[in-house]
Amino acid sequence: MTLEVNDLHTAYGLSQILFGVSLVVETGECVALLGRNGVGKTTTLRSIMGLTAPQRGSVRYNGVDITGRPAYQVARLGLGFVPEERRIFPDLTVRQNLEVARKAPATPHGRAWTVEAVFETFPALAALAGRKGGFLSGGEQQMLTIGRTLMGNPDLLLLDEPSEGLAPLIVRDLGRQIGRLREQGLTILLCEQNAKFATKLSDRAYILEKGQVRFSGSIKALHENEDVRRQYLGV
Amino acid sequence: MAGFTADVLLVQFINGLFIAAGIYLVASGLSLVFGVLGVLNFAHGSFYMYGAFFVFTWIGFELGGFWPALLIAPLAVVIVGVATEVVFLRPIYKADPLYQLLLTYGLVLMFGDVVKLIWGADNQSVARPAGLEGTFPIFGALFPSYQLFVLLPIGISTILALYLLLNHTQIGNVVRAATQDREMVGALGVNVRLLYTGVFAVGAFLGGLGGAVLAPMGALYPGMDFDVIIEIFLVVVLGGLGSMAGTALGALIYGELKSLGILFVPDLESVFIYVLMVIVLLARPQGLLGKRVETSR
Amino acid sequence: MANLQGSIGEGALAQRRAATARDPMIWAFVAALVLLFWVPELILYMGWAKFWIQFATQVFIWSLFAMSFNLLMGYAGMISFGQAAYLGIGGYTAGLLLKNIAGLSFYLGLAAAPLGGALAALIIGYFCVRRTHIYFAILTLAFGHIVYLIAFKWYGFTGGDNGVIGIPVPGWITEPTFANYYKFVLVISVAAIYLLWRIVNSPFGRALTAIRENPERADFIGIPVDRYRLYAFVLVGAFSGLAGALIMVNDRSVYPDLAHWTQSTQVLLMSLLGGVYTFFGPIVGAVLLRTMDADITQNYPEIWQLFLGGVLVLILFGLPGGIVGFIQERDIGSGDDHATRTAKLLRLFRRKSWMFLGGALLFTTFFSILQSPGAWLLPRTRVFEPFALATWGIVPCALLQLVVGAAALWLLLRRVDRFNRIDGALLLILPIAALVLHVYLGTPLSGLLIVLLWVIFTVYSLVQADFRRAYRLGRPPNGGG
């Protein structure tokens, strides 16, 4: 099972964001997509997910061409998208937020996600089950967003900036939880500005700059390449 | 003015419930469609009119009379509604709300003349079903049987059914989520296009049901779509655009005001509701139970 | 639109005052006045029907009404669905005054109409203008309906559906050719339209546009949003009242129909048809709609609404900028490079050609349905003859149009890179065929209008350098997207 993105060009109206992004995510991997703000990380995920149709290039998942397909079809193939702005449904309770996303797995799973299973993974949510989504804190909302996407039993998780705007302690918690998901066999494509956070979780990394991939390689290679880190990540 | 006994007030109160049930049946579809799709559908009045005229046609076929028509006429309206949604509304969901309003306005004009072409410009009528032509006594007062045994139960069960459907089912959760963030619901694997068509179909069904249920209670004429659309706009704005509970409350207030207003100002009872609407909108621009404060966008 | 913010600064304001003081447009208005003044003489000299004088009078009144309405819709972005209310109030104010007060000066009665319209707009507008967009639309609709109901039901005052009849007007109006009244209306309309022109070009008018574009920002830069919206509403109410009174004088009677929502629809459509973001567009809309009204209402009154609705839907999908707006669309994508720009124009042209064919087909089909109702496959009364279209049924007739029209368009649009004489001839044949069909159906005026629209639309597109280049240079790269 793989995600293969090839030469993606995407624009919003007249302003082009991506200029030929290519990347690969293999089954069971956690791949980090790094880069500063506004380099096209979110657009890459949106293009993969079918939320913004690319102008050129292709997205293949398990050998199936999903380029430009509507998002709901992509989701039903087993891709789960966790958006940057969290976008929980504010007028629905936590439990309802999770139930909305319930969906049969695309491929046979060991165990299908349930609301209770999400509460086990994110214990903080269990106590808030009856609370409206709009009244949660940032960290709680982030857990809910991830939990919600998990309810769709995805095989591949597209995580967009999960650590953004969260306190360091909460980020550490979140990192642990994402790590656990990985161990359970979920494939993850993790977009992050916070390179330290992302590299701890990932096997490989891509670095985007101005809508193009400027570096790709293992985390080890990235750590050894100080030039790249200084130039594109500011560390 | 002080001479009214409690009896008279009670009678008028119950009559007000009848009016409320009727207007709620029609208004609920408009409210649902606006709440979920964000489109204020001018043509909803046309669905109501088609519901009534389809009943008229069905009775002409002599295939079981009035009762099956209560289901068949709304279903026929659903076909019209789905065609409307697919052809005209789908391309413009992202457009300015006013653009959508204008478009559905154009549809009202077209639907109206199609009625004239098919059924003629004259008034038509539908007879009440057998056994319900007369009246029924409660507390010594006589009430029309049809209103009591058909209109009111259908109105109340519609309120209950919509409430349960929206708040206590999976599909209801999804629908409410889609009103809050359409794109995200799509990314979670829901076919939002289909969902919208479905919701529009339910809205059209409710409009058609309203027309079908109300058909035996008054004349059917080509301008009835426009008369009803103004009334249901009032009800929906009064209750709060997009709030289903608000629509029920608005319908109740509308019915009671109209019914009790006759006692006090026999000629101007219809002006009453306008005055009230103005007061409500000055005090609460979003309507009685409307949540979203109107933005300038 | 982009230069709005700049124009609101203090310095710009003074400059603008100076500029408007010597507004060259006044000469255009004077010239129009002088030219149009002699139209009745021309009509009489040529021996045409006197109907056309009355027709032209109506066009001017409706132009005035539509242009003032467009101040609201196009400039201030407030779509009123109940504008006929002020038309009716103007008509009733002047009518009732003249009828009930013996010896009241005709001009005084007429002058009361805009005041009546303004007063009603002030009261109703007070409740409506704070609400924006959809709420505003619903409220104006509801209030418009109240006004209609009052006119319809209050027998003691308005005469109910019997209307007010036999309103006294001076003798010079009722002279048989109506030429005097034409001139009277012409002078008033041109003056009022000039006034509107000055209003939309004043700082106030620019402020309204700023409010339409972004009410919050307008508020930030110190425009009293609600108050200005109310001013606009009242102003338009006054102009509408004036138009209502002019219609009243024309008929020497008033009926509740004047305040009916169908009139609101017509004025809305005139603005949309002509182009809401243009000043003079509504005139084009008024001319077109009055012509079609004169033509279709006479022949097929039962489908007038259907026709209006169809036009409305077609405009919204096909020409959102209206006709005048479309002509101004040459600036489309002006920031792009040549190839992109050409591609855009071409796509626009293609899309609209199909839309046009669809629209023409729709209407001619409706007309043929009415011409021989029930004759779906074969005519009922006449014997089928293959070479006489009149003996074909509705469905075959529509299919024929569809096939011929689609084939012609396909030929025309497919070969953009080799546009030649045959294509040119096709461009010519299409509208002529439409005209023939309409003449046959008994609605020649509408046929002419369709031809006119087609010509405006096609010739104008082809005259443009970019288009010509597109036709010669061939398909631009990446044309379909």
Side-chain angles (χ1 to χ4, degrees), chain C residues 317-350:
Chain C
F317 275 112
L319 287 177
I323 291 161
V324 177
F326 174 71
I327 291 174
Q328 291 175 353
E329 253 177 40
R330 60 175 174 266
D331 296 330
I332 181 169
S334 47
D336 302 334
D337 60 84
H338 173 69
T340 322
R341 190 174 136 90
T342 314
K344 274 184 182 173
L345 277 166
L346 209 57
R347 231 174 296 153
L348 192 78
F349 181 65
R350 285 180 177 185

mmCIF file of all heavy atoms in Angstrom, chain C residues 317-350:
data_model
loop_
_atom_site.group_PDB
_atom_site.id
_atom_site.type_symbol
_atom_site.label_atom_id
_atom_site.label_comp_id
_atom_site.label_asym_id
_atom_site.label_seq_id
_atom_site.Cartn_x
_atom_site.Cartn_y
_atom_site.Cartn_z
ATOM 1 N N PHE C 317 -27.405 32.552 -15.454
ATOM 2 C CA PHE C 317 -26.405 31.563 -15.845
ATOM 3 C C PHE C 317 -25.524 32.052 -16.989
ATOM 4 O O PHE C 317 -24.328 31.796 -17.025
ATOM 5 C CB PHE C 317 -27.087 30.263 -16.262
ATOM 6 C CG PHE C 317 -27.387 29.372 -15.099
ATOM 7 C CD1 PHE C 317 -28.687 29.126 -14.719
ATOM 8 C CD2 PHE C 317 -26.363 28.792 -14.371
ATOM 9 C CE1 PHE C 317 -28.972 28.308 -13.640
ATOM 10 C CE2 PHE C 317 -26.633 27.978 -13.285
ATOM 11 C CZ PHE C 317 -27.946 27.737 -12.922
ATOM 12 N N GLY C 318 -26.155 32.776 -17.925
ATOM 13 C CA GLY C 318 -25.433 33.086 -19.154
ATOM 14 C C GLY C 318 -24.775 34.447 -19.186
ATOM 15 O O GLY C 318 -23.646 34.597 -19.635
ATOM 16 N N LEU C 319 -25.472 35.448 -18.689
ATOM 17 C CA LEU C 319 -24.944 36.810 -18.780
ATOM 18 C C LEU C 319 -25.056 37.503 -17.429
ATOM 19 O O LEU C 319 -25.809 38.453 -17.290
ATOM 20 C CB LEU C 319 -25.766 37.633 -19.782
ATOM 21 C CG LEU C 319 -25.649 37.407 -21.271
ATOM 22 C CD1 LEU C 319 -26.632 38.302 -21.994
ATOM 23 C CD2 LEU C 319 -24.255 37.698 -21.756
ATOM 24 N N PRO C 320 -24.323 37.030 -16.436
ATOM 25 C CA PRO C 320 -24.497 37.630 -15.119
ATOM 26 C C PRO C 320 -24.237 39.131 -15.097
ATOM 27 O O PRO C 320 -24.703 39.820 -14.217
ATOM 28 C CB PRO C 320 -23.507 36.886 -14.232
ATOM 29 C CG PRO C 320 -22.843 35.890 -15.066
ATOM 30 C CD PRO C 320 -23.313 35.987 -16.459
ATOM 31 N N GLY C 321 -23.516 39.618 -16.057
ATOM 32 C CA GLY C 321 -23.271 41.058 -16.093
ATOM 33 C C GLY C 321 -24.307 41.815 -16.903
ATOM 34 O O GLY C 321 -24.189 43.018 -17.086
ATOM 35 N N GLY C 322 -25.328 41.129 -17.421
ATOM 36 C CA GLY C 322 -26.303 41.798 -18.270
ATOM 37 C C GLY C 322 -25.730 42.062 -19.646
ATOM 38 O O GLY C 322 -24.578 41.726 -19.934
ATOM 39 N N ILE C 323 -26.541 42.651 -20.515
ATOM 40 C CA ILE C 323 -26.104 42.865 -21.895
ATOM 41 C C ILE C 323 -25.022 43.934 -21.962
ATOM 42 O O ILE C 323 -23.962 43.736 -22.551
ATOM 43 C CB ILE C 323 -27.305 43.246 -22.768
ATOM 44 C CG1 ILE C 323 -28.215 42.035 -22.901
ATOM 45 C CG2 ILE C 323 -26.848 43.713 -24.134
ATOM 46 C CD1 ILE C 323 -29.600 42.371 -23.316
ATOM 47 N N VAL C 324 -25.299 45.061 -21.333
ATOM 48 C CA VAL C 324 -24.291 46.118 -21.342
ATOM 49 C C VAL C 324 -23.047 45.656 -20.592
ATOM 50 O O VAL C 324 -21.918 45.924 -20.981
ATOM 51 C CB VAL C 324 -24.873 47.415 -20.745
ATOM 52 C CG1 VAL C 324 -23.814 48.486 -20.687
ATOM 53 C CG2 VAL C 324 -26.061 47.879 -21.565
ATOM 54 N N GLY C 325 -23.293 44.911 -19.533
ATOM 55 C CA GLY C 325 -22.173 44.353 -18.774
ATOM 56 C C GLY C 325 -21.324 43.439 -19.639
ATOM 57 O O GLY C 325 -20.103 43.458 -19.572
ATOM 58 N N PHE C 326 -21.983 42.684 -20.495
ATOM 59 C CA PHE C 326 -21.259 41.762 -21.362
ATOM 60 C C PHE C 326 -20.377 42.535 -22.341
ATOM 61 O O PHE C 326 -19.235 42.178 -22.605
ATOM 62 C CB PHE C 326 -22.240 40.875 -22.131
ATOM 63 C CG PHE C 326 -21.560 40.009 -23.154
ATOM 64 C CD1 PHE C 326 -20.769 38.955 -22.749
ATOM 65 C CD2 PHE C 326 -21.687 40.277 -24.511
ATOM 66 C CE1 PHE C 326 -20.131 38.154 -23.678
ATOM 67 C CE2 PHE C 326 -21.048 39.485 -25.438
ATOM 68 C CZ PHE C 326 -20.270 38.421 -25.027
ATOM 69 N N ILE C 327 -20.947 43.619 -22.865
ATOM 70 C CA ILE C 327 -20.169 44.418 -23.800
ATOM 71 C C ILE C 327 -18.942 44.994 -23.102
ATOM 72 O O ILE C 327 -17.871 45.099 -23.672
ATOM 73 C CB ILE C 327 -21.062 45.528 -24.406
ATOM 74 C CG1 ILE C 327 -22.084 44.862 -25.325
ATOM 75 C CG2 ILE C 327 -20.234 46.543 -25.149
ATOM 76 C CD1 ILE C 327 -23.112 45.786 -25.877
ATOM 77 N N GLN C 328 -19.122 45.303 -21.841
ATOM 78 C CA GLN C 328 -17.974 45.853 -21.110
ATOM 79 C C GLN C 328 -17.017 44.765 -20.642
ATOM 80 O O GLN C 328 -15.974 45.062 -20.096
ATOM 81 C CB GLN C 328 -18.468 46.666 -19.919
ATOM 82 C CG GLN C 328 -19.161 47.933 -20.358
ATOM 83 C CD GLN C 328 -19.757 48.706 -19.203
ATOM 84 O OE1 GLN C 328 -19.760 48.238 -18.078
ATOM 85 N NE2 GLN C 328 -20.254 49.891 -19.494
ATOM 86 N N GLU C 329 -17.405 43.522 -20.860
ATOM 87 C CA GLU C 329 -16.586 42.423 -20.377
ATOM 88 C C GLU C 329 -15.278 42.289 -21.150
ATOM 89 O O GLU C 329 -14.500 41.397 -20.880
ATOM 90 C CB GLU C 329 -17.346 41.099 -20.472
ATOM 91 C CG GLU C 329 -17.798 40.550 -19.140
ATOM 92 C CD GLU C 329 -18.609 39.282 -19.326
ATOM 93 O OE1 GLU C 329 -18.230 38.474 -20.181
ATOM 94 O OE2 GLU C 329 -19.626 39.122 -18.642
ATOM 95 N N ARG C 330 -15.072 43.130 -22.128
ATOM 96 C CA ARG C 330 -13.833 43.021 -22.895
ATOM 97 C C ARG C 330 -12.615 43.146 -21.980
ATOM 98 O O ARG C 330 -11.527 42.734 -22.334
ATOM 99 C CB ARG C 330 -13.784 44.090 -23.972
ATOM 100 C CG ARG C 330 -13.847 45.496 -23.428
ATOM 101 C CD ARG C 330 -13.671 46.498 -24.545
ATOM 102 N NE ARG C 330 -13.876 47.840 -24.050
ATOM 103 C CZ ARG C 330 -15.034 48.481 -24.099
ATOM 104 N NH1 ARG C 330 -16.073 47.885 -24.619
ATOM 105 N NH2 ARG C 330 -15.162 49.688 -23.630
ATOM 106 N N ASP C 331 -12.842 43.706 -20.810
ATOM 107 C CA ASP C 331 -11.719 43.855 -19.889
ATOM 108 C C ASP C 331 -11.429 42.583 -19.126
ATOM 109 O O ASP C 331 -10.563 42.552 -18.274
ATOM 110 C CB ASP C 331 -12.013 44.973 -18.890
ATOM 111 C CG ASP C 331 -12.131 46.295 -19.599
ATOM 112 O OD1 ASP C 331 -11.467 46.435 -20.643
ATOM 113 O OD2 ASP C 331 -12.888 47.160 -19.138
ATOM 114 N N ILE C 332 -12.177 41.544 -19.444
ATOM 115 C CA ILE C 332 -12.011 40.288 -18.722
ATOM 116 C C ILE C 332 -10.553 39.850 -18.740
ATOM 117 O O ILE C 332 -9.902 39.840 -19.776
ATOM 118 C CB ILE C 332 -12.910 39.196 -19.317
ATOM 119 C CG1 ILE C 332 -12.750 37.901 -18.551
ATOM 120 C CG2 ILE C 332 -12.622 38.953 -20.780
ATOM 121 C CD1 ILE C 332 -13.800 36.879 -18.924
ATOM 122 N N GLY C 333 -10.059 39.546 -17.587
ATOM 123 C CA GLY C 333 -8.688 39.063 -17.469
ATOM 124 C C GLY C 333 -7.676 39.995 -18.086
ATOM 125 O O GLY C 333 -6.733 39.556 -18.741
ATOM 126 N N SER C 334 -7.844 41.299 -17.881
ATOM 127 C CA SER C 334 -6.942 42.238 -18.544
ATOM 128 C C SER C 334 -5.514 42.116 -18.017
ATOM 129 O O SER C 334 -4.579 42.566 -18.656
ATOM 130 C CB SER C 334 -7.466 43.664 -18.364
ATOM 131 O OG SER C 334 -7.814 43.870 -17.017
ATOM 132 N N GLY C 335 -5.380 41.508 -16.850
ATOM 133 C CA GLY C 335 -4.036 41.374 -16.290
ATOM 134 C C GLY C 335 -3.255 40.205 -16.877
ATOM 135 O O GLY C 335 -2.069 40.059 -16.642
ATOM 136 N N ASP C 336 -3.959 39.356 -17.667
ATOM 137 C CA ASP C 336 -3.307 38.144 -18.146
ATOM 138 C C ASP C 336 -2.471 38.404 -19.394
ATOM 139 O O ASP C 336 -2.606 39.428 -20.042
ATOM 140 C CB ASP C 336 -4.352 37.080 -18.495
ATOM 141 C CG ASP C 336 -5.210 36.753 -17.297
ATOM 142 O OD1 ASP C 336 -4.715 36.936 -16.173
ATOM 143 O OD2 ASP C 336 -6.363 36.351 -17.494
ATOM 144 N N ASP C 337 -1.678 37.406 -19.701
ATOM 145 C CA ASP C 337 -0.941 37.508 -20.955
ATOM 146 C C ASP C 337 -1.893 37.205 -22.105
ATOM 147 O O ASP C 337 -3.033 36.783 -21.897
ATOM 148 C CB ASP C 337 0.241 36.535 -20.953
ATOM 149 C CG ASP C 337 -0.219 35.110 -20.798
ATOM 150 O OD1 ASP C 337 -0.589 34.500 -21.805
ATOM 151 O OD2 ASP C 337 -0.231 34.619 -19.659
ATOM 152 N N HIS C 338 -1.425 37.407 -23.298
ATOM 153 C CA HIS C 338 -2.311 37.361 -24.452
ATOM 154 C C HIS C 338 -3.011 36.016 -24.604
ATOM 155 O O HIS C 338 -4.223 35.957 -24.808
ATOM 156 C CB HIS C 338 -1.503 37.661 -25.716
ATOM 157 C CG HIS C 338 -2.294 37.466 -26.955
ATOM 158 N ND1 HIS C 338 -3.332 38.301 -27.301
ATOM 159 C CD2 HIS C 338 -2.250 36.498 -27.893
ATOM 160 C CE1 HIS C 338 -3.870 37.867 -28.412
ATOM 161 N NE2 HIS C 338 -3.244 36.777 -28.802
ATOM 162 N N ALA C 339 -2.255 34.934 -24.466
ATOM 163 C CA ALA C 339 -2.828 33.610 -24.725
ATOM 164 C C ALA C 339 -3.935 33.291 -23.720
ATOM 165 O O ALA C 339 -5.014 32.841 -24.101
ATOM 166 C CB ALA C 339 -1.729 32.546 -24.648
ATOM 167 N N THR C 340 -3.681 33.578 -22.448
ATOM 168 C CA THR C 340 -4.675 33.294 -21.425
ATOM 169 C C THR C 340 -5.942 34.084 -21.684
ATOM 170 O O THR C 340 -7.059 33.586 -21.586
ATOM 171 C CB THR C 340 -4.135 33.687 -20.041
ATOM 172 O OG1 THR C 340 -2.764 33.354 -19.996
ATOM 173 C CG2 THR C 340 -4.885 32.998 -18.954
ATOM 174 N N ARG C 341 -5.734 35.348 -22.032
ATOM 175 C CA ARG C 341 -6.840 36.259 -22.254
ATOM 176 C C ARG C 341 -7.702 35.769 -23.415
ATOM 177 O O ARG C 341 -8.928 35.708 -23.324
ATOM 178 C CB ARG C 341 -6.240 37.622 -22.555
ATOM 179 C CG ARG C 341 -7.210 38.753 -22.590
ATOM 180 C CD ARG C 341 -6.388 40.023 -22.765
ATOM 181 N NE ARG C 341 -7.009 40.889 -23.744
ATOM 182 C CZ ARG C 341 -7.907 41.809 -23.411
ATOM 183 N NH1 ARG C 341 -8.279 41.954 -22.185
ATOM 184 N NH2 ARG C 341 -8.440 42.575 -24.338
ATOM 185 N N THR C 342 -7.031 35.387 -24.475
ATOM 186 C CA THR C 342 -7.754 34.895 -25.634
ATOM 187 C C THR C 342 -8.524 33.633 -25.280
ATOM 188 O O THR C 342 -9.690 33.474 -25.646
ATOM 189 C CB THR C 342 -6.770 34.569 -26.766
ATOM 190 O OG1 THR C 342 -5.873 35.661 -26.867
ATOM 191 C CG2 THR C 342 -7.487 34.393 -28.069
ATOM 192 N N ALA C 343 -7.858 32.772 -24.535
ATOM 193 C CA ALA C 343 -8.514 31.523 -24.153
ATOM 194 C C ALA C 343 -9.762 31.806 -23.345
ATOM 195 O O ALA C 343 -10.807 31.200 -23.543
ATOM 196 C CB ALA C 343 -7.550 30.658 -23.347
ATOM 197 N N LYS C 344 -9.654 32.777 -22.446
ATOM 198 C CA LYS C 344 -10.808 33.107 -21.608
ATOM 199 C C LYS C 344 -11.963 33.626 -22.444
ATOM 200 O O LYS C 344 -13.106 33.214 -22.279
ATOM 201 C CB LYS C 344 -10.417 34.170 -20.583
ATOM 202 C CG LYS C 344 -9.810 33.609 -19.337
ATOM 203 C CD LYS C 344 -9.542 34.724 -18.354
ATOM 204 C CE LYS C 344 -8.874 34.178 -17.117
ATOM 205 N NZ LYS C 344 -8.462 35.268 -16.241
ATOM 206 N N LEU C 345 -11.639 34.553 -23.341
ATOM 207 C CA LEU C 345 -12.679 35.128 -24.199
ATOM 208 C C LEU C 345 -13.350 34.049 -25.023
ATOM 209 O O LEU C 345 -14.568 34.026 -25.191
ATOM 210 C CB LEU C 345 -12.061 36.176 -25.126
ATOM 211 C CG LEU C 345 -11.889 37.555 -24.514
ATOM 212 C CD1 LEU C 345 -10.976 38.395 -25.371
ATOM 213 C CD2 LEU C 345 -13.231 38.227 -24.356
ATOM 214 N N LEU C 346 -12.526 33.153 -25.523
ATOM 215 C CA LEU C 346 -13.038 32.111 -26.387
ATOM 216 C C LEU C 346 -13.969 31.190 -25.608
ATOM 217 O O LEU C 346 -15.049 30.836 -26.081
ATOM 218 C CB LEU C 346 -11.861 31.313 -26.935
ATOM 219 C CG LEU C 346 -12.077 30.687 -28.294
ATOM 220 C CD1 LEU C 346 -12.436 31.752 -29.302
ATOM 221 C CD2 LEU C 346 -10.818 29.958 -28.718
ATOM 222 N N ARG C 347 -13.539 30.844 -24.418
ATOM 223 C CA ARG C 347 -14.370 29.977 -23.598
ATOM 224 C C ARG C 347 -15.704 30.661 -23.316
ATOM 225 O O ARG C 347 -16.759 30.054 -23.363
ATOM 226 C CB ARG C 347 -13.648 29.663 -22.287
ATOM 227 C CG ARG C 347 -13.597 28.169 -22.005
ATOM 228 C CD ARG C 347 -12.770 27.877 -20.788
ATOM 229 N NE ARG C 347 -11.375 28.259 -20.968
ATOM 230 C CZ ARG C 347 -10.575 28.597 -19.960
ATOM 231 N NH1 ARG C 347 -11.033 28.638 -18.739
ATOM 232 N NH2 ARG C 347 -9.313 28.911 -20.194
ATOM 233 N N LEU C 348 -15.613 31.946 -23.014
ATOM 234 C CA LEU C 348 -16.814 32.731 -22.741
ATOM 235 C C LEU C 348 -17.746 32.693 -23.951
ATOM 236 O O LEU C 348 -18.944 32.460 -23.838
ATOM 237 C CB LEU C 348 -16.390 34.171 -22.469
ATOM 238 C CG LEU C 348 -17.431 35.095 -21.886
ATOM 239 C CD1 LEU C 348 -17.572 34.823 -20.407
ATOM 240 C CD2 LEU C 348 -17.005 36.535 -22.109
ATOM 241 N N PHE C 349 -17.165 32.899 -25.111
ATOM 242 C CA PHE C 349 -17.939 32.956 -26.346
ATOM 243 C C PHE C 349 -18.630 31.622 -26.600
ATOM 244 O O PHE C 349 -19.808 31.560 -26.912
ATOM 245 C CB PHE C 349 -17.012 33.314 -27.506
ATOM 246 C CG PHE C 349 -17.718 33.428 -28.817
ATOM 247 C CD1 PHE C 349 -18.659 34.423 -29.012
ATOM 248 C CD2 PHE C 349 -17.449 32.552 -29.844
ATOM 249 C CE1 PHE C 349 -19.320 34.539 -30.218
ATOM 250 C CE2 PHE C 349 -18.100 32.657 -31.050
ATOM 251 C CZ PHE C 349 -19.034 33.649 -31.244
ATOM 252 N N ARG C 350 -17.879 30.553 -26.402
ATOM 253 C CA ARG C 350 -18.449 29.234 -26.632
ATOM 254 C C ARG C 350 -19.578 28.953 -25.673
ATOM 255 O O ARG C 350 -20.659 28.538 -26.057
ATOM 256 C CB ARG C 350 -17.385 28.163 -26.395
ATOM 257 C CG ARG C 350 -16.403 28.075 -27.482
ATOM 258 C CD ARG C 350 -15.432 26.999 -27.122
ATOM 259 N NE ARG C 350 -14.493 26.834 -28.215
ATOM 260 C CZ ARG C 350 -13.582 25.896 -28.227
ATOM 261 N NH1 ARG C 350 -13.501 25.068 -27.206
ATOM 262 N NH2 ARG C 350 -12.767 25.785 -29.231
#
